[in-house]
Amino acid sequence: MADEKETSAEEQALADEWAAALSEAGDASQDDIDALMNQGMSAPLAPKAPIEEFGHAPKHGGPVSLDGPNLDVILDIPVSISMEVGSTDISIRNLLQLNQGSVVELDRLAGEPLDVLVNGTLIAHGEVVVVNEKFGIRLTDVISPSERIKKLR
């Protein structure tokens, strides 16, 4: 009995929502509301769409290639690329004391290649160049495409 009261309260709340929506849209009678409620309850569920398969993923440890339709769906997704000169760990006290002219010592030696990161994942090393008065990076060592795909997993 308690279930019937809860269900009827839920149905009443749904009917009230429909009534409010129909009254905003224009003239609506109780018959319109009842018809919509009955239609919603007796309508069969829509059939599920078939899942398209984009190709089977290679087994772990097997060769990975750029061939095949499974990568075509992601080739136009934008990613964030960054170049890392170096890094260091400092305390919050020292961080708060930084101001213009402060020097932060990094963990890289001068002349060492920079890291090229895509969404935080290392994909290459390179050196700084100047092109049309703007900084650029010349890639000197690039991780193979199959290794990059393995790192995405």
Side-chain angles (χ1 to χ4, degrees):
M1 298 263 316
D3 290 340
E4 291 175 6
K5 289 180 183 177
E6 288 176 18
T7 304
S8 103
E10 290 174 3
E11 288 175 355
Q12 184 59 42
L14 185 58
D16 292 342
E17 289 179 30
W18 275 108
L22 288 172
S23 66
E24 288 177 11
D27 294 334
S29 67
Q30 185 62 38
D31 293 335
D32 295 334
I33 296 169
D34 292 339
L36 285 172
M37 287 294 294
N38 290 333
Q39 180 184 22
M41 290 182 184
S42 65
L45 294 175
K48 293 182 179 179
I51 297 174
E52 293 183 30
E53 292 190 21
F54 294 106
H56 299 288
K59 303 282 186 215
H60 292 294
V64 179
S65 71
L66 289 175
D67 299 333
N70 56 348
L71 283 182
D72 290 342
V73 295
I74 65 168
L75 291 179
D76 292 329
I77 296 174
V79 293
S80 180
I81 186 168
S82 59
M83 309 330 156
E84 187 175 280
V85 176
S87 62
T88 191
D89 294 324
I90 63 173
S91 66
I92 293 175
R93 178 183 322 282
N94 291 344
L95 177 67
L96 293 173
Q97 292 174 351
L98 292 177
N99 55 31
Q100 188 173 359
S102 295
V103 175
V104 178
E105 186 177 343
L106 301 176
D107 61 355
R108 291 270 168 95
L109 297 173
E112 241 184 296
L114 298 124
D115 291 339
V116 179
L117 306 167
V118 173
N119 288 345
T121 302
L122 178 68
I123 62 142
H125 295 288
E127 58 188 17
V128 176
V129 295
V130 177
V131 180
N132 297 330
E133 299 182 11
K134 293 185 180 182
F135 285 115
I137 188 164
R138 177 182 295 123
L139 301 179
T140 56
D141 180 32
V142 180
I143 296 173
S144 70
S146 61
E147 289 296 319
R148 283 183 262 166
I149 291 171
K150 284 180 184 177
K151 287 186 176 188
L152 291 175
R153 294 177 187 209

